[in-house]
Amino acid sequence: MKKKLVSCLISFTLLSSLSTPLLAKAQENTEDIKGSLVIAGGGIGTSNHEIYEKFLSLAGGKEKAKVGIIPAASTTLQSSKKFKEDLVKYGANSDSIKILPVSNHDFSDTQKDESTWKNQVNDKKLSRTIKGLTAVWFVGGDQTKIVDSLRQNNGSDSEALKAIWDIYRKGAVIGGTSAGAAIMSDVMITGGDSLGALKDSLENKENKHVSKNQRSQKEYEPLSIQKGLGFFQHGIIDQHMDERARLGRLAVAAYTSERDKEKNFAYGVDEDTAMVVNNKDQKIEVVGRSGVAVLDMSKAELVSKQKARSGLENIKVSYLSPGDKINYHLKSFEFPKERVETKGFEYYSFNALPATGVFTPYGRLKAYLSYSLVDNESMKSAKSYVYDSKGSGYEIAFQKDNDTNGYWRYTDGQKDDYSIVNVKMDITPKTFKFQPDRKTSLTYKKPTFSSSESPAYDSIKGNLLIAGGALGSSNSSVYNKFINLAGGNQAKIGIVPAASTKFDSSNQFKSDLIKYGVKAENIEILPISNHDFKGTSENESTWKTHMNSDKLAQKVKGLTGIWFVGGDQTLITGSLRNENGSDSKVLQAIWHTYKNGAVLGGTSAGAAIMSNTMLAGGDSYGALSYGFTNTYDDMNQQEGGPAYLEKGLGFFQYGLVDQHFDNKARLGRLIATAYEKGNKNQLSYGIDEDTAMVVNNKEKQIEVVGRGGITLVDLAKVQANDKFPSDYKNILISCITPGDKVNLPTKEIVINPAKTSTRKNEYYSEKVGPNTGLFSPHGVLRKFLAYDLVDNAQSKEIKSYAFNQNKGFELTFRKSVESNGYWAYTDGQKDDYSIVKVALDIKPIDVDIR
């Protein structure tokens, strides 16, 4: 059974006004604690060895660890059993791991009645068992059930809770995920979302004490808090931070409830990530795969902006990444030496759009602040919004301050990894009004680009592996697939470095191939480029003549696999095509090897060149608003503006391909390009980062491999307004994930049989508001469609918006007759969804913000 995204609104104290009494501390004397905490934000993957190994290490090591698992938060014992299996997988002794009889309710997947366990929390036998442990773990679910199971009716600690405190003080590690993280602080957040927290606590409304039934009919959930277990005494903890966009609710909770705002930070932990608290050193280390948001509320002020509506100003937002440390006593940060400061050395310089919904590039908080503000010399401030369907909401303004800085490094190969400190955040009440745009002032230009067809695909024996960018070195499924298609142990692979300005990515890919078993002598970085590379003594721009080298062409014909690295896709085509547009001898040789059985692969720019029409620049808003341009402004144009097209290399002949699809939110530009230049009888494909589309030319099908998904755009039934650009109806959108397949000629989608249909079996039944930006949950398209539409019985349609100043687009996603969702757990107990044939309408709008 999947976990509810929103905790049930039962048995808690509702934070109903700014004068709410402060909650009493759970334990006053915590200075003598020798133990540690592992506080995970939820969604821990079984493959996340950093968290599991850290927990076992703090528990005394794999051989000595004695772990008690508390299942109280869940409605089943499934998550407790799975966590035990994972610990055993990482080397713990199965006999030393016990699921403790702590619960206030029955579990649905057992024959016993576990509600009787509530009477055992004062049992001496259970206390003795706990006192023999070196670690305790709280699974996820409903945090109020944990507290109610371990506290007595008068609010005092049970003997079991006293025993947990005893081993914690003496050196045991206490850990928990999701609900098991929420209970760690004194002020325990039990419900609410960002919009609900802002509206309920900062507005003087009559709905302060509405009934549970009335509240369930709202698009947002008010903030609610309760007394936690207080193992962490240095600020409020929140979880599922980035995926559920809880920064707003954490800010409100910290401002209204935390009595030590001057002394303490507030912490929001992302999914698949943990903050590890060392009480002795008074430090927190970030471990896992994402980050921890840190709020400094010490100078935050409540400011009245409108009648009966207030905002919060002077909040400082930081975002820490794995390897970073926080001194919670000094309120300071420590970063690994390999991180590079961005201040004064910003890499990007582009005009970032406000974060308004699922068309926003870098549409989650850490990525948006990194690329669009902190590492962007053109930006001093950036904005996002949150509002309900009636237009009542807030503007969130982020601003660089004197002490704002960013810290960057590569991680897991060549993935960007950022840490951010001291971005100023102001939250101001606003009203929003959207009306159809009847007379646009925008100048939409149709593409003048035309591309001739490439050779027929029937004769091709080889395959393609097209990766969406940011391919992790640890992504074994993609690397092993490429190597197997190239011949396994006999693989002979050539790497084309042309897209990049340095050899780093080519050297990294070679190193990764060797790690996965390819012989070093069978891998060569091919001398293909039309420009010089940084950091070398040779002038590689002279390699341009190599494109017609008979010797190099002959070498290419002997390869079983060719890989194109990322960078600027126009540099690849410029290195392989003659000035008159004809194929060079080396490109002809690549086609020869491909037709005869070799695999061609590429990531990012190396994916963009795969289709006949190559998307080389622009973003979703720019393509829909302004159409297409004939000029190309190097890499900056890849971050925004009208779409720019060139002729690709045409290896994939079943439609258009776009990449970095989820992180750069490129659905709009793919739709615009497919409508103007695509074959409407074919699908168009948007490939997420760290994910690959594997094309089997013999079977004429694709398969998804990796960690993300592929978005399919079908324009076969689209209706467009010829008199008004970018006014579309009935675009069909599907999102498929690893294990799913598509028949290329028929467009039939074959879902992984391990997944179950959600249709007429929806897990959720909740009213949801529009997706509006950084404070809206599920900012990635696939998750937004999954949680808010296809697996939600109440939703028939959902909306998102994309706008800049007073012009934009309303996106309406609808369940169609053919719509369906498919769900399964993956990598432990992470939700994995596929979505089939959701209808999308795009309508140009005028925007009025007051």
Side-chain angles (χ1 to χ4, degrees):
M1 182 68 71
K2 292 172 283 182
K3 292 184 298 181
K4 273 285 184 185
L5 288 181
V6 179
S7 300
C8 295
L9 294 174
I10 56 174
S11 65
F12 56 72
T13 301
L14 179 66
L15 178 64
S16 61
S17 74
L18 295 179
S19 60
T20 299
L22 295 168
L23 298 176
K25 278 193 176 280
Q27 297 278 334
E28 289 294 343
N29 183 16
T30 60
E31 295 178 359
D32 59 343
I33 295 175
K34 297 177 181 177
S36 303
L37 299 172
V38 176
I39 305 173
I44 302 176
T46 299
S47 62
N48 193 329
H49 63 88
E50 293 93 346
I51 292 178
Y52 282 99
E53 290 176 355
K54 176 66 78 170
F55 181 70
L56 286 173
S57 174
L58 292 170
K62 298 174 183 178
E63 296 179 358
K64 296 182 180 180
K66 296 180 180 179
V67 183
I69 301 171
I70 294 182
S74 184
T75 57
T76 70
L77 283 179
Q78 181 179 357
S79 54
S80 298
K81 292 176 180 178
K82 186 67 177 69
F83 187 71
K84 179 175 180 176
E85 289 175 11
D86 290 342
L87 291 178
V88 172
K89 172 186 171 183
Y90 280 98
N93 187 334
S94 179
D95 294 336
S96 298
I97 306 170
K98 303 180 185 301
I99 297 176
L100 301 176
V102 177
S103 175
N104 67 348
H105 61 280
D106 189 25
F107 292 100
S108 63
D109 57 347
T110 69
Q111 298 297 318
K112 297 180 180 179
D113 181 6
E114 290 84 6
S115 63
T116 61
W117 287 359
K118 172 70 175 175
N119 301 322
Q120 298 184 40
V121 290
N122 289 310
D123 186 84
K124 291 182 179 179
K125 183 180 177 181
L126 176 59
S127 295
R128 284 196 300 269
T129 298
I130 292 172
K131 288 182 179 181
L133 301 174
T134 62
V136 173
W137 183 268
F138 295 88
V139 301
D142 182 348
Q143 47 266 50
T144 64
K145 292 178 179 178
I146 299 175
V147 174
D148 187 58
S149 297
L150 284 170
R151 284 222 173 93
Q152 302 186 88
N153 292 336
N154 63 2
S156 63
D157 292 356
S158 66
E159 293 301 316
L161 182 53
K162 290 177 182 177
I164 294 171
W165 268 101
D166 183 63
I167 62 171
Y168 177 41
R169 290 182 186 279
K170 291 177 179 178
V173 58
I174 310 297
T177 183
S178 188
I183 55 98
M184 293 288 181
S185 50
D186 275 326
V187 177
M188 179 177 74
I189 301 176
T190 59
D193 53 37
S194 287
L195 180 58
L198 290 167
K199 291 182 73 65
D200 191 64
S201 297
L202 301 185
E203 295 184 18
N204 183 21
K205 297 286 187 179
E206 291 87 11
N207 63 358
K208 292 294 186 182
H209 296 285
V210 295
S211 69
K212 176 189 170 185
N213 183 61
Q214 288 173 311
R215 205 175 296 124
S216 67
Q217 299 304 309
K218 288 183 174 293
E219 300 167 0
Y220 48 85
E221 182 187 5
L223 173 69
S224 54
I225 62 171
Q226 184 177 314
K227 182 180 178 182
L229 299 185
F231 299 121
F232 181 71
Q233 290 279 300
H234 308 283
I236 298 178
I237 303 290
D238 207 348
Q239 19 77 46
H240 295 283
M241 175 56 53
D242 198 38
E243 171 60 25
R244 301 185 192 175
R246 286 174 166 170
L247 189 72
R249 88 165 188 179
L250 179 59
V252 172
Y255 182 82
T256 59
S257 309
E258 176 60 62
R259 68 182 180 185
D260 292 327
K261 290 191 293 288
E262 298 289 330
K263 188 171 71 175
N264 294 331
F265 285 141
Y267 303 86
V269 191
D270 288 350
E271 294 184 355
D272 222 3
T273 307
M275 51 183 278
V276 178
V277 182
N278 184 317
N279 286 297
K280 182 179 179 181
D281 294 342
Q282 297 185 330
K283 288 185 180 180
I284 297 167
E285 180 182 6
V286 181
V287 176
R289 290 176 173 158
S290 188
V292 174
V294 183
L295 291 184
D296 185 347
M297 305 295 294
S298 59
K299 297 181 180 178
E301 299 175 317
L302 183 72
V303 181
S304 296
K305 293 291 184 180
Q306 296 181 7
K307 184 178 180 181
R309 300 185 71 194
S310 300
L312 284 173
E313 294 185 349
N314 295 323
I315 302 166
K316 285 293 182 75
V317 179
S318 299
Y319 229 112
L320 283 292
S321 294
D324 299 342
K325 293 184 178 180
I326 306 162
N327 186 314
Y328 56 76
H329 179 64
L330 299 177
K331 294 181 74 174
S332 62
F333 306 118
E334 298 176 14
F335 303 100
K337 292 181 180 179
E338 59 267 28
R339 287 200 185 276
V340 179
E341 290 189 40
T342 63
K343 192 171 185 176
F345 304 95
E346 291 84 357
Y347 182 80
Y348 295 95
S349 181
F350 67 94
N351 185 23
L353 294 172
T356 58
V358 294
F359 270 13
T360 301
Y362 317 113
R364 299 316 306 151
L365 183 65
K366 185 170 78 164
Y368 184 74
L369 293 182
S370 298
Y371 294 103
S372 297
L373 182 63
V374 175
D375 201 17
N376 190 338
E377 67 176 357
S378 296
M379 300 292 289
K380 303 301 180 186
S381 63
K383 293 180 180 179
S384 185
Y385 306 93
V386 62
Y387 43 85
D388 59 24
S389 58
K390 295 180 180 179
S392 174
Y394 297 84
E395 175 186 271
I396 303 98
F398 299 96
Q399 185 175 331
K400 288 178 180 174
D401 218 334
N402 292 332
D403 55 352
T404 302
N405 208 342
Y407 298 85
W408 168 90
R409 69 173 176 181
Y410 279 135
T411 186
D412 192 15
Q414 287 200 311
K415 291 183 178 180
D416 287 334
D417 183 38
Y418 283 96
S419 301
I420 300 157
V421 297
N422 296 324
V423 170
K424 183 174 177 287
M425 179 173 75
D426 298 332
I427 302 173
T428 306
K430 298 282 185 179
T431 55
F432 302 80
K433 189 174 183 180
F434 304 111
Q435 292 183 318
D437 186 353
R438 302 299 185 189
K439 188 176 181 181
T440 185
S441 60
L442 303 177
T443 304
Y444 181 93
K445 295 182 179 179
K446 286 185 169 290
T448 58
F449 164 83
S450 62
S451 178
S452 58
E453 294 298 321
S454 293
Y457 51 75
D458 286 336
S459 60
I460 297 174
K461 298 177 182 177
N463 302 293
L464 299 172
L465 189 147
I466 309 174
L471 178 61
S473 294
S474 64
N475 195 330
S476 58
S477 58
V478 172
Y479 278 95
N480 287 330
K481 190 72 172 182
F482 179 72
I483 293 167
N484 289 337
L485 290 173
N489 293 334
Q490 305 302 314
K492 295 182 179 179
I493 297 171
I495 300 171
V496 177
S500 186
T501 57
K502 299 185 293 185
F503 279 112
D504 291 6
S505 51
S506 298
N507 290 328
Q508 179 68 56
F509 190 72
K510 180 176 180 178
S511 176
D512 290 340
L513 290 176
I514 294 170
K515 182 180 76 172
Y516 284 101
V518 181
K519 298 175 182 177
E521 59 269 26
N522 288 351
I523 308 168
E524 183 175 351
I525 298 174
L526 302 173
I528 298 173
S529 176
N530 65 353
H531 60 280
D532 191 24
F533 286 83
K534 299 175 182 177
T536 67
S537 57
E538 185 176 358
N539 182 2
E540 289 82 8
S541 64
T542 60
W543 288 1
K544 186 170 183 177
T545 59
H546 292 178
M547 71 170 71
N548 287 304
S549 165
D550 291 325
K551 182 179 179 181
L552 182 56
Q554 196 62 35
K555 180 180 289 186
V556 166
K557 288 180 180 179
L559 299 173
T560 61
I562 298 171
W563 184 265
F564 297 87
V565 301
D568 183 341
Q569 46 265 50
T570 65
L571 298 178
I572 301 177
T573 55
S575 300
L576 287 171
R577 281 219 174 89
N578 297 309
E579 291 186 5
N580 64 2
S582 62
D583 292 356
S584 67
K585 291 182 179 180
V586 169
L587 182 53
Q588 292 173 26
I590 293 172
W591 268 103
H592 178 272
T593 60
Y594 176 41
K595 288 179 180 180
N596 285 280
V599 58
L600 306 185
T603 183
S604 187
I609 52 98
M610 292 291 181
S611 49
N612 204 42
T613 297
M614 180 175 77
L615 287 81
D619 67 350
S620 289
Y621 181 82
L624 292 171
S625 298
Y626 307 108
F628 298 81
T629 179
N630 293 325
T631 60
Y632 183 63
D633 183 21
D634 197 32
M635 291 287 286
N636 284 337
Q637 195 162 328
Q638 294 189 22
E639 303 301 329
Y644 174 72
L645 307 178
E646 280 194 10
K647 180 175 172 60
L649 299 185
F651 301 126
F652 178 69
Q653 301 196 340
Y654 294 90
L656 299 171
V657 170
D658 207 348
Q659 22 76 43
H660 292 284
F661 206 70
D662 52 351
N663 202 33
K664 298 195 178 183
R666 286 174 165 170
L667 178 63
R669 86 167 188 179
L670 183 58
I671 289 170
T673 305
Y675 181 78
E676 298 287 0
K677 301 303 300 182
N679 180 341
K680 294 181 179 57
N681 293 318
Q682 295 179 327
L683 298 174
S684 295
Y685 304 83
I687 309 171
D688 289 351
E689 294 184 353
D690 218 6
T691 308
M693 181 171 87
V694 180
V695 182
N696 185 318
N697 284 301
K698 181 179 179 181
E699 300 293 333
K700 294 183 173 56
Q701 73 173 18
I702 67 161
E703 179 183 4
V704 187
V705 176
R707 292 172 173 155
I710 296 175
T711 301
L712 311 174
V713 176
D714 189 346
L715 298 184
K717 299 178 180 179
V718 69
Q719 301 171 30
N721 184 347
D722 292 334
K723 297 180 180 179
F724 209 98
S726 301
D727 187 349
Y728 300 112
K729 291 183 179 179
N730 214 36
I731 301 165
L732 291 181
I733 304 294
S734 301
C735 301
I736 56 177
T737 59
D740 299 338
K741 299 178 181 180
V742 178
N743 182 292
L744 290 165
T746 66
K747 302 191 293 187
E748 179 188 4
I749 300 170
V750 181
I751 299 297
N752 185 337
K755 294 176 182 172
T756 58
S757 171
T758 64
R759 189 166 187 172
K760 296 183 180 180
N761 188 36
E762 292 87 355
Y763 184 77
Y764 303 100
S765 183
E766 300 165 355
K767 192 172 182 180
V768 296
N771 185 285
T772 59
L774 303 180
F775 277 17
S776 290
H778 320 305
V780 175
L781 177 68
R782 175 165 49 93
K783 294 186 177 182
F784 172 56
L785 296 181
Y787 292 112
D788 286 0
L789 183 63
V790 298
D791 204 16
N792 189 344
Q794 277 201 47
S795 289
K796 304 301 181 187
E797 65 178 37
I798 54 177
K799 294 183 184 293
S800 181
Y801 293 89
F803 57 87
N804 186 24
Q805 296 179 342
N806 64 340
K807 293 290 182 181
F809 301 93
E810 180 183 74
L811 317 179
T812 303
F813 297 91
R814 298 180 283 106
K815 287 178 180 173
S816 69
V817 175
E818 302 171 283
S819 295
N820 205 344
Y822 298 87
W823 169 89
Y825 278 136
T826 185
D827 192 16
Q829 289 194 308
K830 291 183 177 180
D831 289 333
D832 181 35
Y833 282 97
S834 299
I835 295 122
V836 173
K837 295 185 178 180
V838 166
L840 167 62
D841 302 335
I842 300 177
K843 180 172 67 176
I845 54 171
D846 288 320
V847 183
D848 183 18
I849 304 175
R850 298 185 182 182

